[in-house]
Amino acid sequence: MRPGLPWCCLLLSLAAGCTSRYPPLNPAPGLPPPVRLDFKPPVDRLLTESVRATRTLQREGQPETRDEAAFTTETRFAPSDGGWRVAQTVRTPRQVHDGQDVPSLSGAVLERFTLRMQLAADGTFVKLVGPEAAQEALRQVAPTGTGVPEVERFFTPEALESRTRREWEAKYAGLLQRNLVEGQRTWAVDFVDVDGEERAYLLERTVQGTRPTTFGDAVVLSLQCLDALPPDAPAELRAAWVEAGSPEISKGVTCEGEQVVAWGRFIPVRRLLKVKAVGAGGTLTLTTESQAEALQEEGP
Protein backbone atom coordinates (compact mmCIF):
# COMPACT_ATOMS: atom_id res chain seq x y z
CA MET A 1 0.00 0.00 0.00
CA ARG A 2 1.60 3.29 -0.95
CA PRO A 3 1.53 5.77 1.95
CA GLY A 4 -0.51 8.91 1.84
CA LEU A 5 -3.78 7.67 0.48
CA PRO A 6 -6.74 9.65 1.87
CA TRP A 7 -8.35 6.64 3.49
CA CYS A 8 -5.22 6.05 5.58
CA CYS A 9 -5.86 9.23 7.55
CA LEU A 10 -9.22 9.33 9.11
CA LEU A 11 -12.86 8.56 9.34
CA LEU A 12 -13.02 5.60 6.96
CA SER A 13 -15.15 2.59 7.13
CA LEU A 14 -15.46 -0.94 5.59
CA ALA A 15 -15.69 -4.63 4.87
CA ALA A 16 -15.92 -6.43 1.59
CA GLY A 17 -19.68 -6.38 1.28
CA CYS A 18 -22.67 -4.33 2.31
CA THR A 19 -24.43 -6.66 4.71
CA SER A 20 -25.31 -5.49 8.20
CA ARG A 21 -24.95 -7.02 11.65
CA TYR A 22 -28.05 -5.14 12.80
CA PRO A 23 -31.68 -6.32 12.70
CA PRO A 24 -33.99 -5.28 9.86
CA LEU A 25 -35.59 -1.85 9.77
CA ASN A 26 -38.53 -1.35 12.09
CA PRO A 27 -41.80 -1.97 10.25
CA ALA A 28 -44.20 0.96 10.56
CA PRO A 29 -47.82 1.09 9.45
CA GLY A 30 -48.57 3.98 7.12
CA LEU A 31 -46.22 6.90 6.73
CA PRO A 32 -43.63 6.86 9.54
CA PRO A 33 -43.00 10.11 11.41
CA PRO A 34 -39.90 12.12 10.57
CA VAL A 35 -36.70 11.71 12.55
CA ARG A 36 -34.93 14.85 13.76
CA LEU A 37 -31.17 14.34 13.42
CA ASP A 38 -29.92 17.08 15.73
CA PHE A 39 -26.23 17.43 16.47
CA LYS A 40 -26.08 16.51 20.16
CA PRO A 41 -22.70 14.82 20.62
CA PRO A 42 -21.80 12.99 23.83
CA VAL A 43 -19.92 15.24 26.25
CA ASP A 44 -17.33 13.88 28.70
CA ARG A 45 -17.42 10.55 26.92
CA LEU A 46 -14.78 8.67 24.97
CA LEU A 47 -16.10 7.26 21.68
CA THR A 48 -14.05 4.35 20.34
CA GLU A 49 -14.42 3.31 16.71
CA SER A 50 -12.76 0.62 14.63
CA VAL A 51 -11.76 1.71 11.13
CA ARG A 52 -10.79 -0.48 8.19
CA ALA A 53 -10.06 0.15 4.54
CA THR A 54 -9.35 -2.26 1.70
CA ARG A 55 -8.01 -1.17 -1.68
CA THR A 56 -7.75 -3.57 -4.61
CA LEU A 57 -6.47 -2.83 -8.10
CA GLN A 58 -7.10 -5.13 -11.03
CA ARG A 59 -5.14 -4.45 -14.21
CA GLU A 60 -5.71 -6.45 -17.36
CA GLY A 61 -3.34 -9.40 -17.59
CA GLN A 62 -1.85 -8.79 -14.13
CA PRO A 63 -2.53 -10.29 -10.67
CA GLU A 64 -4.79 -8.27 -8.41
CA THR A 65 -3.00 -6.18 -5.78
CA ARG A 66 -4.61 -5.76 -2.38
CA ASP A 67 -3.79 -3.27 0.36
CA GLU A 68 -5.44 -3.01 3.76
CA ALA A 69 -5.30 -0.48 6.57
CA ALA A 70 -6.87 -0.77 10.00
CA PHE A 71 -6.78 1.32 13.16
CA THR A 72 -8.81 2.45 16.15
CA THR A 73 -9.90 6.03 16.78
CA GLU A 74 -10.73 7.62 20.12
CA THR A 75 -12.90 10.74 19.89
CA ARG A 76 -13.95 13.34 22.46
CA PHE A 77 -16.48 16.17 22.03
CA ALA A 78 -16.42 19.32 24.17
CA PRO A 79 -18.31 22.66 24.01
CA SER A 80 -16.06 25.39 22.58
CA ASP A 81 -16.53 28.92 21.19
CA GLY A 82 -20.30 28.52 20.89
CA GLY A 83 -19.85 25.25 19.01
CA TRP A 84 -17.91 22.05 19.51
CA ARG A 85 -14.27 21.00 19.68
CA VAL A 86 -13.58 17.46 18.47
CA ALA A 87 -10.32 15.76 19.46
CA GLN A 88 -9.46 12.47 17.76
CA THR A 89 -6.47 10.19 18.24
CA VAL A 90 -5.42 7.07 16.35
CA ARG A 91 -4.36 3.85 18.04
CA THR A 92 -2.68 0.66 16.74
CA PRO A 93 -2.52 1.40 13.00
CA ARG A 94 -1.77 -1.62 10.83
CA GLN A 95 -1.00 -1.79 7.13
CA VAL A 96 -0.99 -4.94 4.98
CA HIS A 97 0.11 -5.42 1.36
CA ASP A 98 -0.94 -8.64 -0.40
CA GLY A 99 -1.31 -10.42 2.93
CA GLN A 100 1.97 -9.22 4.48
CA ASP A 101 2.30 -6.60 7.22
CA VAL A 102 4.36 -3.64 6.03
CA PRO A 103 5.82 -0.59 7.84
CA SER A 104 3.56 2.45 7.68
CA LEU A 105 5.08 5.92 7.87
CA SER A 106 1.58 7.44 7.74
CA GLY A 107 0.49 5.24 10.64
CA ALA A 108 3.50 6.26 12.72
CA VAL A 109 2.61 9.92 12.17
CA LEU A 110 -1.06 9.43 12.98
CA GLU A 111 -0.20 7.87 16.35
CA ARG A 112 1.81 10.93 17.36
CA PHE A 113 -0.66 13.79 17.04
CA THR A 114 -4.25 14.61 17.91
CA LEU A 115 -6.53 15.82 15.14
CA ARG A 116 -8.61 18.73 16.45
CA MET A 117 -11.69 20.03 14.63
CA GLN A 118 -13.80 23.07 15.41
CA LEU A 119 -17.47 22.58 14.56
CA ALA A 120 -20.34 25.06 14.67
CA ALA A 121 -23.24 24.48 17.06
CA ASP A 122 -25.17 22.71 14.29
CA GLY A 123 -22.29 20.34 13.46
CA THR A 124 -21.00 22.28 10.44
CA PHE A 125 -17.25 21.93 9.91
CA VAL A 126 -15.46 25.23 10.66
CA LYS A 127 -11.72 24.54 10.69
CA LEU A 128 -8.87 22.42 11.98
CA VAL A 129 -7.20 23.64 15.14
CA GLY A 130 -3.40 23.41 15.18
CA PRO A 131 -2.98 21.29 12.02
CA GLU A 132 0.78 21.99 12.18
CA ALA A 133 0.97 19.26 14.83
CA ALA A 134 0.92 16.68 12.03
CA GLN A 135 4.11 18.07 10.51
CA GLU A 136 5.81 18.06 13.89
CA ALA A 137 4.81 14.40 14.29
CA LEU A 138 6.23 13.67 10.84
CA ARG A 139 9.55 15.29 11.82
CA GLN A 140 9.69 12.99 14.86
CA VAL A 141 9.57 9.85 12.73
CA ALA A 142 11.27 11.16 9.55
CA PRO A 143 13.48 14.26 9.81
CA THR A 144 13.08 16.82 7.04
CA GLY A 145 14.37 15.48 3.73
CA THR A 146 14.42 11.84 4.81
CA GLY A 147 10.71 11.04 4.44
CA VAL A 148 8.56 10.29 1.43
CA PRO A 149 7.53 13.49 -0.43
CA GLU A 150 4.02 12.13 -0.95
CA VAL A 151 3.56 11.65 2.80
CA GLU A 152 4.99 15.10 3.49
CA ARG A 153 2.42 16.65 1.13
CA PHE A 154 -0.33 14.56 2.70
CA PHE A 155 0.29 16.07 6.14
CA THR A 156 0.64 19.74 5.20
CA PRO A 157 -1.87 21.91 7.11
CA GLU A 158 -3.69 22.85 3.89
CA ALA A 159 -4.02 19.28 2.63
CA LEU A 160 -5.03 17.96 6.04
CA GLU A 161 -7.72 20.60 6.52
CA SER A 162 -9.11 20.20 2.99
CA ARG A 163 -9.30 16.42 3.29
CA THR A 164 -10.83 16.47 6.78
CA ARG A 165 -13.45 19.01 5.72
CA ARG A 166 -14.42 16.92 2.69
CA GLU A 167 -14.65 13.71 4.70
CA TRP A 168 -16.86 15.35 7.36
CA GLU A 169 -19.14 16.94 4.78
CA ALA A 170 -19.42 13.72 2.76
CA LYS A 171 -20.72 12.02 5.89
CA TYR A 172 -22.97 14.67 7.46
CA ALA A 173 -23.60 17.69 5.22
CA GLY A 174 -27.33 18.04 4.62
CA LEU A 175 -28.27 15.52 7.30
CA LEU A 176 -27.90 17.40 10.59
CA GLN A 177 -30.42 19.72 12.24
CA ARG A 178 -33.31 18.69 10.00
CA ASN A 179 -36.29 16.35 9.89
CA LEU A 180 -35.67 13.23 7.80
CA VAL A 181 -38.45 11.09 6.37
CA GLU A 182 -38.31 7.68 4.74
CA GLY A 183 -37.36 7.96 1.07
CA GLN A 184 -35.80 11.41 1.45
CA ARG A 185 -32.52 11.97 -0.42
CA THR A 186 -29.57 14.19 0.38
CA TRP A 187 -26.29 14.63 -1.49
CA ALA A 188 -22.62 15.40 -1.03
CA VAL A 189 -19.55 15.51 -3.25
CA ASP A 190 -16.81 13.01 -2.49
CA PHE A 191 -13.54 11.94 -4.13
CA VAL A 192 -11.59 8.75 -4.77
CA ASP A 193 -7.85 8.62 -5.50
CA VAL A 194 -7.06 6.72 -8.71
CA ASP A 195 -3.36 6.49 -9.65
CA GLY A 196 -2.64 9.76 -7.84
CA GLU A 197 -5.57 11.59 -9.45
CA GLU A 198 -8.63 12.59 -7.45
CA ARG A 199 -11.88 11.70 -9.19
CA ALA A 200 -15.05 13.40 -7.99
CA TYR A 201 -18.44 11.74 -7.69
CA LEU A 202 -21.83 12.58 -6.22
CA LEU A 203 -22.79 10.60 -3.14
CA GLU A 204 -26.55 10.12 -2.80
CA ARG A 205 -27.96 9.18 0.63
CA THR A 206 -31.51 7.85 0.91
CA VAL A 207 -33.33 7.53 4.23
CA GLN A 208 -34.46 3.92 4.68
CA GLY A 209 -36.00 4.21 8.14
CA THR A 210 -34.86 3.67 11.72
CA ARG A 211 -33.22 0.81 13.56
CA PRO A 212 -32.44 0.05 17.23
CA THR A 213 -28.73 -0.20 18.04
CA THR A 214 -26.69 -0.58 21.20
CA PHE A 215 -26.19 3.21 21.06
CA GLY A 216 -29.91 4.01 20.80
CA ASP A 217 -32.35 4.37 17.93
CA ALA A 218 -30.64 5.33 14.70
CA VAL A 219 -31.54 6.59 11.25
CA VAL A 220 -30.46 4.29 8.42
CA LEU A 221 -29.36 5.61 5.04
CA SER A 222 -28.46 3.71 1.89
CA LEU A 223 -25.55 5.10 -0.13
CA GLN A 224 -24.97 5.12 -3.86
CA CYS A 225 -22.88 7.12 -6.35
CA LEU A 226 -23.87 9.27 -9.29
CA ASP A 227 -21.17 9.71 -11.94
CA ALA A 228 -22.92 12.65 -13.61
CA LEU A 229 -25.09 15.58 -12.59
CA PRO A 230 -28.61 14.68 -13.81
CA PRO A 231 -30.19 17.22 -16.18
CA ASP A 232 -33.19 17.44 -13.86
CA ALA A 233 -31.09 17.52 -10.68
CA PRO A 234 -32.97 18.86 -7.63
CA ALA A 235 -31.92 22.29 -6.36
CA GLU A 236 -30.39 20.76 -3.22
CA LEU A 237 -28.18 18.47 -5.31
CA ARG A 238 -27.00 21.35 -7.52
CA ALA A 239 -26.31 23.47 -4.43
CA ALA A 240 -24.18 20.72 -2.87
CA TRP A 241 -22.18 20.44 -6.11
CA VAL A 242 -21.67 24.22 -6.37
CA GLU A 243 -20.65 24.51 -2.71
CA ALA A 244 -17.99 21.84 -3.34
CA GLY A 245 -16.49 24.01 -6.09
CA SER A 246 -18.43 22.55 -9.05
CA PRO A 247 -15.83 19.80 -9.70
CA GLU A 248 -15.96 17.75 -12.88
CA ILE A 249 -17.86 14.57 -12.07
CA SER A 250 -15.95 11.47 -13.20
CA LYS A 251 -17.57 8.81 -15.33
CA GLY A 252 -17.13 5.18 -14.35
CA VAL A 253 -17.45 5.62 -10.58
CA THR A 254 -20.10 3.51 -8.82
CA CYS A 255 -20.68 2.67 -5.18
CA GLU A 256 -22.99 1.08 -2.66
CA GLY A 257 -23.16 1.21 1.10
CA GLU A 258 -25.00 2.05 4.29
CA GLN A 259 -24.73 4.67 7.01
CA VAL A 260 -26.25 4.36 10.49
CA VAL A 261 -26.35 7.39 12.83
CA ALA A 262 -27.94 7.43 16.29
CA TRP A 263 -30.24 10.44 16.54
CA GLY A 264 -31.17 10.81 20.25
CA ARG A 265 -27.48 11.45 20.96
CA PHE A 266 -25.24 11.87 17.93
CA ILE A 267 -23.23 8.67 17.50
CA PRO A 268 -21.84 7.56 14.10
CA VAL A 269 -22.81 3.94 14.67
CA ARG A 270 -21.59 2.49 11.40
CA ARG A 271 -20.67 3.48 7.86
CA LEU A 272 -19.84 1.13 5.02
CA LEU A 273 -19.01 2.32 1.52
CA LYS A 274 -17.67 0.31 -1.41
CA VAL A 275 -16.51 2.49 -4.31
CA LYS A 276 -15.48 1.11 -7.71
CA ALA A 277 -13.70 3.28 -10.28
CA VAL A 278 -13.03 1.99 -13.78
CA GLY A 279 -10.34 3.69 -15.81
CA ALA A 280 -7.52 3.20 -18.28
CA GLY A 281 -5.26 1.97 -15.50
CA GLY A 282 -7.63 -0.81 -14.45
CA THR A 283 -10.43 -1.21 -11.91
CA LEU A 284 -9.94 0.22 -8.45
CA THR A 285 -12.18 -0.91 -5.60
CA LEU A 286 -12.00 0.92 -2.27
CA THR A 287 -14.05 -0.39 0.63
CA THR A 288 -14.11 1.57 3.87
CA GLU A 289 -15.92 0.85 7.12
CA SER A 290 -16.10 2.51 10.52
CA GLN A 291 -17.90 0.92 13.46
CA ALA A 292 -18.62 2.44 16.88
CA GLU A 293 -17.36 0.00 19.50
CA ALA A 294 -17.79 1.73 22.86
CA LEU A 295 -18.90 4.96 24.53
CA GLN A 296 -17.24 5.31 27.90
CA GLU A 297 -17.58 7.92 30.63
CA GLU A 298 -14.29 9.64 31.37
CA GLY A 299 -13.09 10.28 34.88
CA PRO A 300 -12.56 13.76 36.34
Side-chain angles (χ1 to χ4, degrees):
M1 175 182 298
R2 64 184 178 86
L5 292 174
W7 46 269
C8 288
C9 186
L10 229 150
L11 331 152
L12 310 140
S13 358
L14 45 284
C18 290
T19 57
S20 172
R21 69 176 77 175
Y22 295 103
L25 301 179
N26 293 335
L31 186 66
V35 172
R36 178 78 178 179
L37 190 56
D38 287 327
F39 189 68
K40 297 177 180 178
V43 179
D44 298 327
R45 299 288 190 275
L46 179 67
L47 174 64
T48 302
E49 298 173 84
S50 60
V51 180
R52 297 179 60 87
T54 302
R55 179 183 184 271
T56 63
L57 180 61
Q58 182 65 64
R59 301 181 188 272
E60 187 174 356
Q62 298 182 25
E64 178 185 85
T65 60
R66 181 182 181 90
D67 295 294
E68 300 175 50
F71 51 89
T72 298
T73 61
E74 295 178 346
T75 306
R76 298 169 178 83
F77 296 87
S80 173
D81 297 330
W84 299 94
R85 181 69 55 86
V86 184
Q88 186 173 73
T89 56
V90 169
R91 300 285 180 258
T92 62
R94 180 177 179 234
Q95 201 161 326
V96 179
H97 176 70
D98 287 339
Q100 299 294 321
D101 280 47
V102 294
S104 171
L105 179 58
S106 297
V109 175
L110 291 172
E111 282 191 296
R112 285 170 170 79
F113 82 98
T114 299
L115 186 80
R116 302 183 190 277
M117 293 186 288
Q118 180 67 40
L119 306 179
D122 62 0
T124 301
F125 183 94
V126 177
K127 64 179 180 178
L128 283 189
V129 179
E132 302 82 6
Q135 290 185 308
E136 176 58 33
L138 177 59
R139 284 191 288 269
Q140 293 175 16
V141 297
T144 304
T146 64
V148 179
E150 186 178 44
V151 177
E152 293 175 353
R153 291 192 298 269
F154 184 78
F155 285 112
T156 63
E158 298 78 14
L160 190 61
E161 175 149 344
S162 174
R163 186 171 55 252
T164 305
R165 179 186 296 273
R166 286 191 334 212
E167 290 175 350
W168 183 266
E169 291 178 349
K171 290 180 179 180
Y172 306 117
L175 292 175
L176 302 173
Q177 307 297 111
R178 66 186 298 181
N179 293 326
L180 301 174
V181 297
E182 191 170 318
Q184 183 175 351
R185 295 177 295 165
T186 61
W187 299 270
V189 176
D190 206 351
F191 297 80
V192 61
D193 184 289
V194 182
D195 291 331
E197 178 186 357
E198 287 192 328
R199 299 176 63 179
Y201 61 88
L202 297 167
L203 182 64
E204 182 175 83
R205 303 165 297 201
T206 304
V207 179
Q208 298 296 320
T210 61
R211 175 184 296 161
T213 75
T214 55
F215 299 95
D217 289 342
V219 61
V220 180
L221 306 111
S222 62
L223 308 175
Q224 69 170 1
C225 291
L226 306 177
D227 63 0
L229 188 69
D232 58 347
E236 185 176 348
L237 170 53
R238 288 188 176 276
W241 175 66
V242 170
E243 289 173 7
S246 305
E248 180 180 356
I249 304 302
S250 302
K251 291 289 186 182
V253 178
T254 59
C255 74
E256 59 180 344
E258 183 180 79
Q259 184 171 357
V260 183
V261 184
W263 52 271
R265 178 170 55 181
F266 173 82
I267 300 289
V269 178
R270 181 175 183 260
R271 189 174 187 265
L272 171 65
L273 183 64
K274 183 176 182 179
V275 180
K276 181 177 289 187
V278 179
T283 300
L284 171 76
T285 303
L286 176 62
T287 305
T288 57
E289 181 181 29
S290 60
Q291 173 72 53
E293 300 293 349
L295 183 64
Q296 300 170 311
E297 183 173 0
E298 296 195 282

